[in-house]
Amino acid sequence: MNAHATAVPPSPPSASDEPPGRASLIVPGMGSDHSAGIVSTSLKRLKGVSTVKTNVASHRVEVTYDRAALDPAELSATVERAGYEVARTEAESAAVQEARLTVPGMGSDHCAGIVSGSIRRLPGIADIATNIGNHRVTVRFDRNATDAAAIRAAVERAGYDVAASEEGARPAAAPAEDDVEERYLATAWKRLWIAAIPTTLIMLIMGPHMFWQPVPGYLAIVAALAFPVVFLYGGYATHRSAWRSLTNRTANMDVLISMGSLPPYLIGLVGFVYPMTSFIEMAATIMTFHLLGRYLETRAKGRASQAIKRLITLGAKTATVERDGAEVEVPVAELEVGDVMVVRPGAKVPTDGEIVDGASHLDESIATGESVPVEKGPGDAVIGATINKEGVLRVRATKVGADTFLSQVIRLVEEAQGSKVPIQELADWLTAKFVPAVILISLGSLVMWLLFADELRPILTWGASFLPWVNPELSPLMLGILAAVAVLVIACPCALGLATPTALMVGSGMGAERGVLIRSGEAIQSLKDIKVVVLDKTGTITKGEPALTDVLALKGFDEAAVLRAAASVEAGSEHPLAQAIVKGARDRGLEVPKVSDFKAITARGVEGKVDGAHVRVGSRRLLEESGIAAGELEDRLKSLETQGKTAMLIAIGEKAAGLVAVADTIKEDSKAAIAALHELGVHVVMVTGDNERTARHVASQVGIDEVMAGVLPEGKVDAIRKLQEEHGQKVAMVGDGINDAPALKQANVGIAIGAGADVAIEAADVTLVQGELTKVVEAIRLSKVTFGKIVQNLFWAWFYNIAAIPIAAVGLLHPMIGVIAMTASSLSVIGNSILLKRAQLGVNRQATDRR
């Protein structure tokens, strides 16, 4: 569900009982589902491979394999045989260990190269990273093959002293990854301009030669200029990929380009011995436009996946930590749980933690999408990468490395970007057959023109009237070659393979920026069809914490005096309802004086002296036993209880003075969110353990369609099942992700709301960082627009190929036009996905239900 994961039949049991190996390969050229399918198919053929998981967005392939049957090097070789370069391979092993050495004399890249070369000669070396800035060498190695002492000795043999060495995995220290995509883009740009300069010169010479005066030695000049384009830097990589792909029995896009550029060049050379039309210009143009398309596609796809890049760069690089009574600046990677960090105004919080001293407002927009800073004080949790607006904070680190909020958001977004939408399964099967089918159609076009040229020529005569590149006078052989090459270069499996991942990249990135984390493509497809949304009451519709709602004073008393007296007595109690009264009084600007002679009376209430007056706060029974009549407060008391509120009577001296009421208040956005759900045609159900009366009162305030009251946590699963039977498998459950986990799993889409810094909620398909119900509406809208883009992309990609290939086969498309159209089709798919960013997902919080 979470990525392109495929399993293969298990291999026979190995003699070794060691756990399976895991390898991660970075494949920059794997930019679409079509290429991911080729890589996956190639790896699954290897004996010992158990699972293969590809992620187009990060160009990463994760492989689980039998270490006794396979070596990680064979995995890389297999991918390269399929026609794709492997930028890096990282192999995990139960025996992998890390050593860190400080080498003071390693002050240049030349020195670093000598040190690395010396270490690399040892057996079992998995990875070496050198940093001449801090003279540090980090080595990952198989402890069964070598050890830290041997690595140290190797460095010393190379002529360098080792000042210090450490062994063992360092907590939270993830090795920094090179920006593979940037390097791939730079290589694509270099290949493009190396091809573009000779091709431009060919075009400049070709114009005068064709329309003005023949250029002496034209064919030799064109052949010489086109040679580096077709055969050297740019063309060589394409042909090598094509050859590897063919020998691996997994034809890719490069096979079509090779077959569309090599034959025209070689056929054009016949002109040196036999006068004929030159096709060399066409070969150079096809290769150049192919390289242009690759460059533009890589660049555009980079824009589509910007969100995750922004997330990766959001974190702080260093942290100021208190160590031995002094403030020390250390890299974030070296932070440990329990470290106390000093965060000054304007600085980023280095990692997730808890404030131990200080108060401030923090900009949490990276987590929630909300720009309004949030007030924080001692005991409050803070999220790494959020910005301290004012005040100095001392924060104790509670999570570091891969456990932090930011790391887990990146992981969830990567999972979503690497996942598949169920609708795409048929498209993937068809795409796998696409390149062989195109080659057959191309060969069929050549044969068709050789055998039936006279019957087909009227089509060209008709086309020549409005298409300047169509020439009906050419020989059958020339027409056949042009048609065959045009079919090869206009076909575009990449457009088909980009349809889903680019839309998922943009959609999941948009969600992450708004605090809406959708785990997979399957969740997107399911969420768009949701007809019923089930809401838990406490913490979802309501705030989940009591608040002061009503204050009533009898004649002879004023509300402020009644509330002040009640808050003063309740300040002596730790009960949540008591604290709600105290907070309510302070929020209204009232001073809460100290109480004396405080006494808590079981099941009745509290009493004490405030400013010399005896104050009682509690139930009817408390006043009755004190001989005080509630009088006209009785009716008001019953009314408030009918509304699901907890009301407390107040007596000052020996007279009833008034009452206060406390309730779990409704969130500000709940009514607008439920109105927005109704606009989407969603039936809203509230499931709660509260009694029917309280539940109905809350439901009536926010516009709930159906109430299921008195449902215990274990009964929520049955409630979901019942709704699925009534409404079909289109039920979403929104809960807090803790006691609601079984119900979230049972629902067709589980939505965990208000996760805050703890986003590791495995039960949920969608995680909402904030506790706002409007985010549920945003998630549904995001799923609808993202899925809509996927369908549009698949439709137009297939429509383009189905329409263009027959037109090329009958000779109406010149190959040069075809390769431009092929490039445009891939770019149009990416561009259409990027248009997702224009979607309006927000909810009008002033909205009311107009039903």
Side-chain angles (χ1 to χ4, degrees), residues 469-652:
W469 55 79
V470 175
N471 183 0
E473 306 304 320
L474 292 176
S475 68
L477 178 61
M478 294 298 102
L479 291 171
I481 291 171
L482 284 172
V485 172
V487 168
L488 289 170
V489 299
I490 202 167
C492 191
C494 282
L496 296 165
L498 289 166
T500 297
T502 53
L504 285 177
M505 278 179 219
V506 178
S508 57
M510 284 173 63
E513 289 171 351
R514 304 178 75 93
V516 178
L517 307 174
I518 300 180
R519 189 181 290 276
S520 68
E522 185 176 333
I524 284 176
Q525 184 163 335
S526 299
L527 191 56
K528 75 173 181 63
D529 293 324
I530 288 301
K531 296 300 179 190
V532 178
V533 169
V534 180
L535 306 174
D536 183 39
K537 180 182 79 72
T538 306
T540 302
I541 298 172
T542 64
K543 292 180 179 177
E545 54 188 40
L548 181 68
T549 58
D550 299 84
V551 179
L552 176 68
L554 291 178
K555 193 173 181 181
F557 298 91
D558 65 69
E559 288 186 1
V562 169
L563 179 57
R564 180 175 177 273
S568 299
V569 179
E570 293 287 14
S573 171
E574 294 296 323
H575 194 283
L577 297 182
Q579 294 305 308
I581 295 169
V582 175
K583 184 177 182 301
R586 286 179 175 151
D587 288 347
R588 298 184 187 200
L590 297 178
E591 179 197 358
V592 180
K594 286 192 174 182
V595 64
S596 60
D597 299 335
F598 173 81
K599 183 180 179 183
I601 305 165
T602 305
R604 290 167 179 77
V606 291
E607 62 181 8
K609 286 190 176 179
V610 179
D611 296 335
H614 194 147
V615 179
R616 299 176 179 87
V617 183
S619 64
R620 298 179 183 86
R621 193 171 173 186
L622 176 65
L623 266 64
E624 286 170 1
E625 290 180 356
S626 303
I628 301 171
E632 60 189 273
L633 290 175
E634 188 67 39
D635 291 339
R636 184 62 175 153
L637 188 67
K638 289 178 180 175
S639 172
L640 291 169
E641 288 176 343
T642 302
Q643 297 172 30
K645 297 177 180 179
T646 301
M648 286 159 275
L649 298 170
I650 301 159
I652 299 176

Side-chain angles (χ1 to χ4, degrees), residues 271-520:
F272 284 110
V273 294
Y274 178 79
M276 63 176 290
T277 304
S278 172
F279 291 102
I280 293 175
E281 307 92 333
M282 184 170 73
T285 306
I286 287 170
M287 184 58 71
T288 302
F289 270 104
H290 166 64
L291 295 173
L292 173 64
R294 276 287 164 88
Y295 171 73
L296 293 176
E297 186 180 300
T298 304
R299 187 171 176 177
K301 203 157 73 63
R303 279 191 64 202
S305 59
Q306 288 180 331
I308 200 161
K309 292 177 189 171
R310 279 200 295 269
L311 286 171
I312 290 169
T313 58
L314 279 174
K317 302 297 183 286
T318 60
T320 302
V321 182
E322 294 180 352
R323 297 229 172 122
D324 300 324
E327 293 184 6
V328 182
E329 189 169 294
V330 299
V332 168
E334 294 181 6
L335 284 173
E336 297 179 4
V337 172
D339 279 343
V340 175
M341 306 170 290
V342 179
V343 186
R344 292 186 166 82
K348 291 180 178 178
V349 177
T351 191
D352 297 357
E354 181 181 298
I355 297 175
V356 294
D357 185 44
S360 180
H361 285 81
L362 275 82
D363 179 355
E364 295 189 336
S365 58
I366 69 117
T368 63
E370 293 295 328
S371 58
V372 180
V374 180
E375 187 177 355
K376 298 278 185 176
D380 289 336
V382 293
I383 299 172
T386 55
I387 300 170
N388 180 21
K389 304 301 283 186
E390 81 274 337
V392 178
L393 298 176
R394 292 175 66 243
V395 179
R396 181 183 294 108
T398 55
K399 291 180 182 177
V400 295
D403 296 329
T404 64
F405 169 83
L406 194 59
S407 295
Q408 294 197 61
V409 169
I410 291 168
R411 177 177 63 82
L412 284 171
V413 174
E414 283 184 337
E415 283 181 3
Q417 292 184 346
S419 67
K420 280 194 177 183
V421 180
I423 191 179
Q424 202 194 350
E425 291 177 3
L426 175 61
D428 283 350
W429 182 84
L430 292 169
T431 303
K433 314 294 181 188
F434 185 83
V435 173
V438 169
I439 294 171
L440 289 175
I441 294 169
S442 175
L443 293 172
S445 301
L446 176 62
V447 172
M448 181 178 69
W449 276 102
L450 291 175
L451 297 179
F452 307 107
D454 292 338
E455 288 82 356
L456 294 170
R457 209 176 289 274
I459 298 173
L460 299 185
T461 304
W462 168 76
S465 62
F466 57 91
L467 298 174
W469 55 79
V470 175
N471 183 0
E473 306 304 320
L474 292 176
S475 68
L477 178 61
M478 294 298 102
L479 291 171
I481 291 171
L482 284 172
V485 172
V487 168
L488 289 170
V489 299
I490 202 167
C492 191
C494 282
L496 296 165
L498 289 166
T500 297
T502 53
L504 285 177
M505 278 179 219
V506 178
S508 57
M510 284 173 63
E513 289 171 351
R514 304 178 75 93
V516 178
L517 307 174
I518 300 180
R519 189 181 290 276
S520 68

Side-chain angles (χ1 to χ4, degrees), residues 43-55:
L43 288 169
K44 285 191 289 181
R45 290 178 186 155
L46 293 175
K47 183 181 178 183
V49 169
S50 52
T51 63
V52 179
K53 186 166 69 172
T54 59
N55 189 317

Side-chain angles (χ1 to χ4, degrees), residues 220-262:
I221 294 169
V222 169
L225 287 170
F227 185 81
V229 178
V230 178
F231 291 98
L232 297 184
Y233 192 65
Y236 172 72
T238 302
H239 303 317
R240 182 183 58 186
S241 170
W243 174 250
R244 287 172 170 176
S245 180
L246 284 172
T247 55
N248 195 52
R249 307 191 312 279
T250 50
N252 64 9
M253 180 75 183
D254 290 331
V255 172
L256 301 180
I257 297 301
S258 281
M259 293 181 69
S261 59
L262 283 177

Side-chain angles (χ1 to χ4, degrees), residues 115 325 542 791:
V115 169
T542 64
V791 172

